[in-house]
Amino acid sequence: MPPTDLIDLGPLAQIALLAAAVATLPLLWLTWRHRGQTAPQRLRALTLVTLFLTFDLVLFGAFTRLTDSGLGCPDWPGCYGNSSPLGAIHAITQAETAMPTGPVTHGKAWVEMIHRYLASGVGLLLTVLMVWSVLAVRRLKRSDPALARLVSPGWAALTFVWVCLQGAFGALTVTMKLYPAIVTLHLLGGIGLLALLAVQTQRHAPQAPTLTLTLRMAAWAVLVLVVVQVALGGWVSTNYAVLACQDVPTCQGQWWPPMDFDAGFTLRRGLGVQADGSALPFAALTAIHVVHRLGAVIVLSALLLLAAALRQPAPRYARGLFAVAALQTLTGLSNIVLGWPLLAAVAHTGGAAALVALLAALLAHSRSSHPLSAAPPR
């Protein structure tokens, strides 16, 4: 396909209709299930549903990446200029016949387009959340100012802008042929979207735990460590470096195998190549893997210490952190010793997403016991 055809907005209207179909069912359910409740309660319910669907979207995005379906439709937002693989069946067949094990097959095309449909549906839900929040605040300021303070149109607007940027990175993922830095940023964007939604669900939740200022600072530090580790994990996955080390705790039978950190962590390069276009050496993949493995030890230790400290003031969050830490350990080891099985790989991404969302919810939900701490923004 010529480069000029990588962006084809022709099927955009049909995809928008499909997005509306995806979003309609949860909206109808929310309208029925939460009828008679206040606007803040219904908005929080919509945020929770959107959070759940966004988590599913992150998992399906991982499935798309791990099944090499990211270029199943090599243009954006449609598939060979069509709104679904059905309209592109001849073009897909031709591409698959030319390269049976290549990036374009009928199965991969459907996986990629379903991911786009889900993303469009989540985007529409976030648009509804933003518009509804703005209208609810305007109405409640006149009728019930106290309730108006429970609605946060600023957070909803920020989330809407974020999902628009995330869509742009999704387009770049395709048009730049799985450029590792772009794919990693797309993963981080999806997890950041989860964090924003988690904050909005918890800011006005009841029974907020009280944490010391030191413990809140520790939670922030752990969140930063986790985000860095997620970025390293995304870099491992997008560079297909998981199998560079297939033994534990050593790598290639050595504690410190040959590694090329400069090549491994050069960001401005294509998939599998160096900045000069030559093949990426195996030592670079080893460096990527080992750095993520070392990061995992640091992050796991920090998580366990934080979870232990939270057992008294925030037992629910402590149990959640212990559970996700165990999941990440098991799935991470499974990826290495079992040869990167798809289920473990998707679950590992899901665990990372859940960890960021959990820490973001903790920081948004909890209050500091420090007398000089500022009140959370409305």
Side-chain angles (χ1 to χ4, degrees), residues 24 62 87-88 103 110 118 188 200 250 308 355 375:
T24 295
W110 274 109
L118 291 174
L188 288 173
Q200 292 172 73
T250 57
L355 197 53

Side-chain angles (χ1 to χ4, degrees), residues 14-15 18-19 22 57 77 82-85 110 112-122:
Q14 294 94 322
I15 292 176
L18 289 168
V22 171
L57 177 61
N82 294 273
S83 60
S84 85
W110 274 109
E112 172 63 9
M113 288 308 298
I114 290 173
H115 177 58
R116 296 182 194 180
Y117 300 152
L118 291 174
S120 301
V122 167

Side-chain angles (χ1 to χ4, degrees), residues 213-229 298-299 302-303 306 359 363:
L213 182 61
T214 300
L215 195 50
R216 280 184 61 83
M217 292 175 62
W220 273 110
V222 172
L223 177 59
V224 171
L225 284 175
V226 169
V227 171
V228 172
Q229 180 66 358
I298 296 171
V299 171
L303 276 175
L306 178 62
L359 288 167
L363 288 165

Side-chain angles (χ1 to χ4, degrees), residues 72-73 79-80 85-86 88-97 104-106 109:
C73 291
C79 191
Y80 287 98
L86 290 176
I89 189 168
H90 297 299
I92 296 171
T93 299
Q94 185 178 6
E96 186 173 5
T97 301
V104 179
T105 67
H106 289 282

Side-chain angles (χ1 to χ4, degrees), residues 153-170:
W155 281 101
L158 175 61
T159 309
F160 172 78
V161 172
W162 190 283
V163 80
C164 291
L165 292 174
Q166 180 69 351
F169 273 108

Side-chain angles (χ1 to χ4, degrees), residues 39-114:
Q41 289 173 324
R42 285 180 288 165
L43 283 167
R44 186 169 186 270
L46 175 58
T47 306
L48 283 166
V49 169
T50 308
L51 173 67
F52 173 76
L53 293 176
T54 302
F55 182 77
D56 293 339
L57 177 61
V58 169
L59 290 183
F60 201 84
F63 178 79
T64 302
R65 183 178 71 256
L66 293 165
T67 55
D68 296 322
S69 301
L71 297 179
C73 291
D75 54 330
W76 187 92
C79 191
Y80 287 98
N82 294 273
S83 60
S84 85
L86 290 176
I89 189 168
H90 297 299
I92 296 171
T93 299
Q94 185 178 6
E96 186 173 5
T97 301
M99 295 181 62
T101 59
V104 179
T105 67
H106 289 282
K108 292 178 180 180
W110 274 109
V111 170
E112 172 63 9
M113 288 308 298
I114 290 173

Side-chain angles (χ1 to χ4, degrees), residues 16-361:
L17 290 175
L18 289 168
V22 171
T24 295
L25 186 59
L27 286 173
L28 289 175
W29 180 82
L30 282 170
T31 301
W32 174 81
R33 178 69 176 78
H34 296 276
R35 62 191 185 280
Q37 294 187 343
T38 64
Q41 289 173 324
R42 285 180 288 165
L43 283 167
R44 186 169 186 270
L46 175 58
T47 306
L48 283 166
V49 169
T50 308
L51 173 67
F52 173 76
L53 293 176
T54 302
F55 182 77
D56 293 339
L57 177 61
V58 169
L59 290 183
F60 201 84
F63 178 79
T64 302
R65 183 178 71 256
L66 293 165
T67 55
D68 296 322
S69 301
L71 297 179
C73 291
D75 54 330
W76 187 92
C79 191
Y80 287 98
N82 294 273
S83 60
S84 85
L86 290 176
I89 189 168
H90 297 299
I92 296 171
T93 299
Q94 185 178 6
E96 186 173 5
T97 301
M99 295 181 62
T101 59
V104 179
T105 67
H106 289 282
K108 292 178 180 180
W110 274 109
V111 170
E112 172 63 9
M113 288 308 298
I114 290 173
H115 177 58
R116 296 182 194 180
Y117 300 152
L118 291 174
S120 301
V122 167
L124 183 55
L125 287 174
L126 290 172
T127 304
V128 171
L129 181 64
M130 178 185 65
V131 173
W132 192 357
S133 297
V134 172
L135 295 178
V137 165
R138 289 180 178 178
R139 181 176 58 83
L140 290 172
K141 278 184 177 179
R142 296 191 298 268
S143 61
D144 194 334
L147 276 182
R149 289 193 292 270
L150 298 179
V151 181
S152 305
W155 281 101
L158 175 61
T159 309
F160 172 78
V161 172
W162 190 283
V163 80
C164 291
L165 292 174
Q166 180 69 351
F169 273 108
L172 288 173
T173 297
V174 176
T175 58
M176 296 188 69
K177 306 297 182 185
L178 305 184
Y179 198 84
I182 296 297
V183 178
T184 302
L185 286 173
H186 191 49
L187 169 65
L188 288 173
I191 291 178
L193 186 60
L194 276 175
L196 286 172
L197 289 166
V199 166
Q200 292 172 73
T201 62
Q202 296 300 320
R203 287 181 67 251
H204 302 293
Q207 298 178 344
T210 301
L211 307 181
T212 64
L213 182 61
T214 300
L215 195 50
R216 280 184 61 83
M217 292 175 62
W220 273 110
V222 172
L223 177 59
V224 171
L225 284 175
V226 169
V227 171
V228 172
Q229 180 66 358
V230 170
L232 289 173
W235 195 242
V236 170
S237 179
T238 55
N239 283 281
Y240 298 90
V242 175
L243 300 182
C245 302
Q246 299 186 54
D247 51 322
V248 178
T250 57
C251 174
Q252 302 166 18
Q254 304 174 64
W255 287 106
W256 198 256
M259 290 179 278
D260 186 340
F261 292 95
D262 288 340
F265 290 94
T266 297
L267 301 182
R268 296 184 62 181
R269 59 172 177 80
L271 178 61
V273 297
Q274 300 189 74
D276 61 4
S278 60
L280 193 67
F282 188 72
L285 301 180
T286 305
I288 294 170
H289 183 113
V290 169
V291 169
H292 180 59
R293 187 181 289 194
L294 293 174
V297 174
I298 296 171
V299 171
L300 178 62
S301 302
L303 276 175
L304 293 178
L305 288 173
L306 178 62
L310 289 171
R311 283 183 300 177
Q312 289 299 323
R316 281 195 309 134
Y317 288 101
R319 290 192 295 270
L321 291 176
F322 275 126
V324 179
L327 171 68
Q328 288 302 86
T329 302
L330 291 174
T331 55
L333 291 173
S334 298
N335 284 330
I336 297 170
V337 300
L338 298 180
W340 206 15
L342 181 60
L343 180 60
V346 172
H348 198 59
T349 300
L355 197 53
V356 172
L358 188 62
L359 288 167

